[in-house]
Amino acid sequence: MVDNVPVALTNLVDYEFNEVGFNQRLRLILVETDHPGKLPSWFDACPVLAIHKLAKQYDAQAGKAIGPSRYLALMAKSQPIPQEITGVHPKIVTLQQAIQQKITPDTIVMLMLKAVKQCQFDDQLVLRNQRATDRLLLVHRQTEKTLVAVEVDLKDHILQLRTRTFKPVVAPQKMGFLASDGCLRWSAMAPGQLWDQHHVHGRKNTIDFFTLRTLADFAQTKVGLQNALLKDLKQAYGDCFCQLPHFHASEVMAYSPKTRVPAIKQVMALLKGQSLHFVGDAGEPHVWALVAHLADRVQTSPQLVQAGVTVSVGERAVAGLNLQVVLDEQDPRYQVGRNDQVIQHLTFEKFGDFDADKQQYQWQGDQQADLMANNQFLMTVVQLLVKRDISAGKLRLPTAVKADTAGHFKYLFFNRLSKRAEPLNLVVTRLTITPDQRVIFEETHIQGEINDSTATELQQTVKRILAATGENPYLLQGAIQSQSGLFAIYGTDLITVPDAEKITSQLHSASEENLVSRQNLLTVAQGLVIDQKHVSQQQQLIAELTQLRKTELTIRELRMTLKLSWKLNAMKAFNAAFHQAQGQWLKLPIRQKAFEAYWTGTCGMGLLELNGDTYYFIGRNNPLEAQQKRAIPLKKIVAIGSLQPKADVCEIFHELESLMQVGFVRLNQYTVIPFPFKYLREYTDLRRHRTNQIKGASAANTD
Amino acid sequence: MTGLDFSAIFGKAQRLTTADDPGCLVTVPAPTGSGKTYGIIHYISQTVVNTTDRRFFFVTVKKNNLHIADFRAAVAHEFEQKNGPFKTSAAREAYLNRTIAVLHALEEITGEVITSQFPAELSASEKVKQALGNLQTYHERYNQQPEKQSLAGRNDFQNLKLAYTTFKREVIKILRRTLMLSDPLTKADKVTLEEYVNADETDLAHYLNQYFPEINLKKYQLVLLTWAKFVRTFPSFYSQRSIPVTATSCLGNATVILDEVDEMKSQLVDKIIDDATKVPLDFLSLFREIRSGVNNLQKKRPEDVMSVLRQRGKFGQLKKRVNHLAAQYELTEDYKTIDAMTTTNFIFNLDSLTISSSHGWWSHRDLPGRRVVLSGQRVVTNDLKFYQMIQRMSQFFSSFIHLLVEWAGKYCQQVNAQRLVIENQLELEDAIATICDCLWLSVDSKKLVLGMYHQAPLKYRKTVKPTTDGQCGRYLQRNGLQLIALTDSDAHLNRTKISAALVQETPEKFLIHLAKRGVVVGMSATVKVDTVINNFDFNFIREQLGDRLIDGLADLPISVQKQFDTSQRCRANGAKVIVKETAKVQVSAESGECMRQLIHELCPEVALGPEQLGQLRTLEMLVKQKMREIYSTYPSKGERQLVSFVQQRYLDLFMSFICFLGFSDKTTFLGLQSVLPKVKGEENEIQMSLNFVTQVFKLLSQLLCTDEPHQPQLRPIAKKFTTDEQLVDDQITAALKLPSKEETRVYLLSSYATLGVGQNLQHNIGTLEAGKTVDISPADANSNDPRRQMVDLAGIYLGRVTNIFTLVPQVATEKSKAQWIRACYELLSLADNSEVSLLDISKYAKKQSLGIPAKQFRNTISYVGAHTQVILQALGRMDRSFNKLPETLVILGADVRNYFNVSMLADYQLGPEAQAIRNLQREAADSVQTSEKIQFERWSNRTLETQHAVNEMAGQLQKDTKTANRYQDFREHLLCQPTPTFDQYHQWEKKPEGAYLDSEVSQYQVARSGENFTFGTDSRGTEEVSAETAGLPTLLKYPGMQAYFDSQGWATTWEKTGFIVNPVQFDNYLGILGEVAGKFILEDRWSVKLRTLSADNHELFDFQTADHVYLDFKNWRHPHNQSAIAERRHVQDKLNRLTDAQELHSRRVLIVNLIETTGTQKFVPKITRNGQIMEVPQLLDAQGKFALTPEQEKMMGDFLNGR
C-alpha cells in the first residue's frame, strides 16, 4: 500500500498507564506537613525519584490557601520507606488511588520525567533526586551572567517546553536555583552560583525550534529535547505503560504544500507613479538626518526609480503617502493619518543607526544596494499601503482574486478591555468586503450581558460566539462569518512537530564521528552502476579511496580527504548506495524532497482533527532551511452551532487557505490567520491613535 | 634452552675492534622470551671469572631489572666451577663485593650504610657513630618527604648529602690513623688506600669494598647501575665532588651493556633538557660583562694568562667581534617588549628556522626612549633584526665557550708542565675559572660559563663527522636548538629579561661517544623499529659509526631463529590468537541502549533473565548519564571532538570488559590505555573516571557472570591507587594472586607507561586454568624452569595510543618550558631524519601560535615506529611463560591497526599476538604504513606544495612584478640545480617551490592524474623524470650549447646528490629548458634578437621579436595531436590578451617544439590562422642535429621577419 496521506505530528502526547507495571516498580507517596522545612531531609532519606507540589486547600471565605503543604512523591519500590519523622505524614497511594484523588495522569508522567532528568546515581548506585525540585528546568546554556533553561510541562496531554531566563541571585536573597547535572534545583546552600528566574523585556532568549547542522546541535533544540524526553521516558519506564508515550499523529486534511508568495510585485504595482513624502521634525537633527538619508535612498533605489516613484521631504504630512520618522511611539509629533493623508511611522529608536564611518544616519541593517530589497523598509511600505486601503475604503493591496475571495466572509476582531474577574467589556470590530472590494468597518462596544431584545445583528453574532460551549473565550483570536455559518478561531498551546525520531536517526547515521571502513567504501564505489558519462568520476573516486591510509576512519576524516565534490552525480549515487549498504550517510540529504514526510506539519498548510476538534496549521512556504527558530502553532477552528462542524470547516478551509497565502503580512510568508484580520488590526490601531489624539487634544484644551 | 648465546655476538665485536680503535655498537634485537637476560648474565659471569682485564657495565632503565641477585649467584657459581667451593660464606661475600659493584642513588646508598655492621675500627669511634646517627636522621626525614620535589624536599636532599659526606670524612679520619696517611691526603695516599681496599684482607677493607665501591671503581669487573645513574655522576669518596660515571677514570674502556636501549633515549633527552634549563643564561647581562671584560685595560691582569689569550691574535679577534655585535644590535641598551599578550614568550632557534610561542618579534631602536623596543610590529626604520641577533648571539656564546676551553687547555699545559706529576694537576675546570677571573666576570657569570661548559658536548663535537653533501641536514646533531625566553616582570620593569637555554648535546652523540671508547651492546626487542622519537636515530649513528654499528643477530642460524619463534610453538600446540577491533562494533554513546547493544554484539548467546533487566536498566542509565555529563562538561562547539573521543574511549574499554566478563575461560586480562584512570577529584576526572569504570565493571559482572562462584575483579594498577607505600609490583602480585590462588578472574587496568613495558604479568596456574592450558615450552627447556608452572594472560585490550609526540603547550610559561623544548626537540628530530621539512615545522608552529590546533605529524616514519613500539612492548607482556590458554584475545582500540608496521621485523622477532595483528593486516590488504609508503606520500605532498605555489605565482604573473621575478628565479634555480646538493637544497628548503624530493637517484618514475602524482607505482602510464626525458643530452649536442650552458652556470648533467626535482618542478624545468635552448638556437640560426615580454604581458609568451612576433617554445617529447585545436585556441586567447600598441591582426605567433617527437609520424611546419600562427614541430632531431630542410628554414625566417 502506498501511503500518500500526509501525516503530521503534534506535541499532544498519547499514553496509557500499565497499572501493574507501574505499581511493581514505583510507588507514589502523598506527603503532608505543616513544617515544609523538614521535607528536604525526608526526601533525601527516602530517596525520592521526583516530587510534585500539590495546591493547598483554598478557603474561599478567607480568600487564601490554608492547611498543610502537600506533596506527591515518586519512589522506587525497591527502596525502603524511611521511618516517619514527626510532623511529616507520608501516605502511600497506588496509581489508581492517586488518579481517584484528582491527580492527573499528566502529573504522574511529569513525575516520571523529573525522575529521568533530575535523578543521579550515588556511589552505591542508588538512583536519587538530590534537592528534589517541583519544577523541571533543564539547563540549556549558561554564561557568567545569564542562564537559559527549558521548563518542561505536560498539561492536558500537551507537552510544552518554554524558555526561561535566569540571572544570578544577588546578596540578601539566599535561596535560588542551582545548576547541577543539567537541571536546576532549588537550593539554599550555594556550593556554586545560585540563579533566579528573571523576566526579560525586550530581548528574549529563545531556543531554536530545530536545527539540522549536527546531531548534537539538534539535540539541544526544542524538537530534539522533546523527542529525547519521550525517548528517555520510554527507556526508563517503558514497563509502566501499556501504550508508550508518543506524539499524536494525525492525518492532514486539505493539505496544501508550499507555494511561494512574494509580495514585492503587488507592492511595486501599487507604487507606480506615486509620490512618497517623508515627514520629520527638522529641529531634531537625528530624525532629520534619517529623513534625508531615506529620501536619498528612495531616489537611488533602482526599483523605485523604475516605477517612477518620486520623493519629497517636509515637516508636515501632505495628501497622499507619507512616511513619518518619529523618535518613538510616544513622540508628541506623531501624526495620525486623515482621509487624504496616509501616514506610516518609523521610529528612530528602532531604525535609526549612526554610521560612524560614513558619519551619517541610515536605515538600520541597510546594506542592500536597493532600498526595496531591505525587508524592513518593504514591510513599512506594505503597512503604508494597507493604511491607504483602509483610508480609501478599498482593497487594492491583495490581488483581485484574493480580494474577491476575501469578500465571501465577514471578519470579527475582538478587543477585550476587561480582565478575567471583571464583568465583560469588549469592543468588536467587523470587516465586510463588498463585491466591488470596498471595505466597511462596523464597531460595537459590549459591556455586561447582551440583551437579546435590543441587540444588533452584530451583537447577536458576538453573543453566539462567546456562548460557544467548551471553548475558552479568552483564547479567541477572531471569527469569520459566512452566509452559511459562523466560525471562531482560537489560539492553543499545540504546535506541530517534525518527525524528530526519524530525523535523529538520520542525523545519527550522518554523524561526522561515525566510523566507516575503507573496505566497505571501496566495495560500494566499485559496485556503483552509473551513467557512462560519469564513469570517470567513479574511477577517480575509487582511486581516491584506494589511497586512504586508514582501514577505519571517521566520516569527518573521509570528507576532509576526498577531493571530489558531493555535487557530482557519481558522488550522489555513491552516498545513496553507501547508505543503502551500510546505513550511514556520508553526507546528509535530509533537506531533499525524499524526506518531505518528516516535515509535513511544519511546511504548507492543512487541517488536523484532534479529539474531535478541528485545528489548522499554517507552516512555512519556503524550502526547508537548516534551522528554524520558531514552532508552527495550531489554531483551533470551531464551526459555531453547526451540526456537521467538521464538514463545514473543511468546506470553508479551502477558501480560507488562499486568504493566508499573501506575502505582505508576514513578508513572503503565509499569514497565520486570514489576511483581512491585518486590515482589522490596522484599523483598530488607527482608531486608537485617533482617540488618543483627540483625548490628548481635549486634555490639552482643558489645561 | 640456555638463552641467547652472547659469545658469538661478542666474538663479532672483538674481531672488528683493535686496541687503537676499541669501540663499536652492537644491537641485539632479540624478542621477549628469547632468554637474552639469561644469556648475558651467563656470559658476563663467565668472562668476569675467567679473565682479569675485562670489565662490564650493565645498565638498565628500571632499578628492579638490575638482576643483582642473579648476577651474584651466577658469578659465584662460575667461580666455584673454576676454583672449587668457597671456604666460607664470608669469603664468598668478600669475593662478590670486590668483583661486583652496584651504583645506587644517594638515598639507597645511605639506606644501606646505616644498617651496615661496622668493623672494629669504626665501631670504636664515637664520632663515626655520631655521624652515622645524623645520617640516619636525615635518611628517615628524606624518605618521609613527599615524592614531589618541593623546596623542602630538595633541602633535605642536600642535608642528606652533607651528612653522608660528614660520615665519610669521619671514616677517612679512621683510615688515616689506621693506614698512617698524611693530612690532607696526597695522591700517593689515595693509591695506598686503593691498594689496601683491593687486597681485601681485613674486615675494614671488606667493609669499604662492600659499601664504598667508588674508592676504586675502576678495579671492579662488573658494575650494575640504572641508566639515570649512568648518564649522571657519583660522589667521590674523598670530597663532595661529583664524578661523571662515563668519565675515563671510572668507565675506561669497559664493555657497556644497555638493556632496553631504545627506552634510554627518552630519558636522556629529558636529562639534556633538564640540564639546559637548569642554568638559564641571561643573554644581555652576560654579554655586557664579557664586553666590559675584553675592553677594559689589560695591564693589570696576570701576564701568564694573558699571554695564552693573546696567542694568534685570538683575544683581539674576540674583542673585535664583541664590539661589533654590541654596536650592530645595540646590545648595551635595554631591550623591552611592548604590546606583549603574555608575560612570557618563547622563541626557538632551530638551525635557520626561528619560531615563536606567540607572534613574530621585531626589535627596533627607540632613540628617545634610549632603549630597544621588541614588538610584534615591524618598524622598518631602525630595525635591529631580532632573530638574526638571537642566532648570532647563540653562535657567539657557543664559540666563546669553545674559545675558553681552548685557552684553558693551553693554560693547563703551561701550568702543569711546571708541576710534579704526582701532585694535583690543574684541572681544566679550574683553568676555565681562572680565565673567567682574568676577564673579570662576576661570580654568577662564572657559574653560568662553567654550566655551559658542562652541557656543551665539547668532548664529542669532534666525534661527529661533518655531514657530507647529499646527506640529510642533521640540524639538531650539528647545532642543537636554542630557546630564548622573553620574560617581563615587576622585578625589572624597564627591561625584558632575555634568557636562553642552549640544547647542544644529543642522545645520539652520547651513544656514539660511548661506542668510540669501547664495546657497547644495546639490547631490546624493539631496537629495530624505525623511530627517532622513542629510539635513537640509528640512521645518524650508522652514518657516524659506519661498520662499527653491528647487528648482533644478523645472520642468526635458522635453527636458533626457530628456537625463538614462540608463535610457531603456539601454532604447533594449538594455541590460537583472536584479534578483535573495537571499531568493528559501533554503538551510539548517547542513545541510552549502547550497553545492551554491546552485550548483544559481543556475547550473542547471553540471555538475560527478567531479574537482570533491572540491572541492565541501571547500567544503561548510568552510562547514559555519564555520557551526557561528558557532553555538558565540554559544551563548546570546539570541544565536540574531545567529547566524542572521550565517549568512545569509555565504550571501547567497556567492550573489552564485556569480552572478558562474558567468557569465563578468560582468567586474566590486561587493559592498557594512554591515560590512567582518574580518582575522584583529579583534574579532568570525567575523561577516565575510575569510579565510573568500576561501577560499570561491577554491573557488567553482575549481568554476565551470575553463575561464577567468585565475581571477577577489576584491579586498576598505578602508584597513585595505593594509599600506603605499596609498589606497583606489589599491586601486580596481589592482583595475580586472584587467579592463581583464589579462583577469581581478574582484569588489570592500567596505562601503557605503567604496565605496558618491563612488567612480568604471568602467574602461576591456578585451579581455574588447571588442565586447560597449552604447553608451548621449547623442546630443550629445563624441567625446573619456573616458566613451566606459569601461564600467560588470556587477553589484552590495546586502547588507542595518543601521546606519542609531546604536545606543544598552549601557553608559554616558565613551568611549561621543558615541555616546549621537548616538543620542539622532537620536531627537529623529525627534520633531522628528513621526515618533515623545516617548511612543515614552520607552518606547524605558525598555526600553533595562532591558536589553531595544528595537525600532528602522524604520517611520519617516527610516529608509526613509536606507535608500533608501544604496541609491541605491550604485547611483550603476553609471552612470558611456557603455557598459554587455548585462545588468546587481542582487542585493538581505534587506530591501533592503522599505525602498526612490523615489516622490518623477522617472524621470530614477533610474538604470536603481534603476528596475528600483522596477519590481519595482510588479509585485509591494509596499506601498512611502511617507511617507503610514508616517503612516497610525503613526496606527493611536497609536490603538491610546489603545485600550489606555482599555481599561485602563475595567477599573478601579469599583475605583480615581484611574483613574476620570484617565478623567474625559481625556474632559473631549477635550471642550475635540477639535482641540488644538501647545502643548495637547504637554501630553498623553506620555500614551497623548493620542495625537492630527498632521494639519491638521477631519475625516477611517477604516475600523473591531473594535479595528483603517485610515486612508487610501476603500472603503465608512468612518466619518467630524468635529464633524458627533459631532452637535456640532446639539446647539449647542438653545437655551442654545452659551452653556453656552462657559461651560464646551468646544470649539464643530473647527479645523484640526494635531492632531485619533484614532478611539478620538472614541468617547470622542461619549460625553462625549452626557452633557453630555443632562444639560443633561434638567435644562432636566424640572427634574430629575442627579448622578454613587458611586465604586463609577462609569461603570456616566452619571447618577442622587434617585429611583434611572439614565440612559444615547447619541450614536448610526445605528439600532442588531440589537443592541437585546443592549443591553437589557447594561443589565440593569449594573443588577444596582449596589451601592446600593435594592431591585433599584425601580431603573430611562432610556436616551436624543440626536439623531434618520438613515434613514426612526421610533422611539418605549417602556418594557420591567416598567417598569424606558425607551428614548427621540431628544430632538432633525436641526435641533436638541426632538423629543418632549407625550405622550412627559409619559411621560418620569412615568418620571423614578417614577409
Side-chain angles (χ1 to χ4, degrees), chain A residues 619-630:
Chain A
R620 300 153 60 86
N621 63 344
N622 40 5
L624 190 62
E625 305 276 335
Q627 186 181 20
Q628 185 173 313
K629 280 220 172 290
R630 290 176 194 283

Side-chain angles (χ1 to χ4, degrees), chain A residues 25 117 119-121 123 127 217 231-232 235-236 239 508 513 515 518 549-552 556, chain B residues 584 586 588 591 617-618 621-622 624-625 628 640-641 644 680 859 895 898 926 929 937:
Chain A
R25 262 187 83 189
K117 286 292 174 188
C119 286
Q120 294 283 320
F121 284 105
D123 283 347
L127 203 58
D217 289 334
K231 194 177 161 201
D232 291 351
Q235 268 174 9
D239 50 353
H508 189 256
E513 310 300 336
L515 284 173
R518 190 189 54 196
R549 251 183 274 131
K550 294 176 154 195
T551 50
E552 234 83 31
R556 174 186 294 110
Chain B
K584 293 280 182 231
Q586 278 192 60
S588 151
S591 74
R617 194 155 42 213
T618 310
M621 275 171 79
L622 176 68
K624 189 170 173 178
Q625 266 180 12
R628 290 253 173 94
R640 291 280 159 83
Q641 245 169 304
S644 69
K680 249 202 174 128
N859 204 29
D895 269 352
N898 291 325
D926 277 5
Q929 296 296 79
E937 179 152 337

Side-chain angles (χ1 to χ4, degrees), chain A residues 87 156 211 378 635 692:
Chain A
D156 301 330
T211 172
L378 177 62
K635 304 276 176 198
N692 285 352

Side-chain angles (χ1 to χ4, degrees), chain A residues 401-422:
Chain A
V401 182
K402 296 244 161 92
D404 193 37
T405 319
H408 298 181
F409 302 99
K410 288 176 179 177
Y411 306 88
L412 288 93
F413 184 71
F414 298 78
N415 193 6
R416 185 176 283 267
L417 305 172
S418 56
K419 301 217 171 74
R420 259 170 211 251
E422 293 165 3

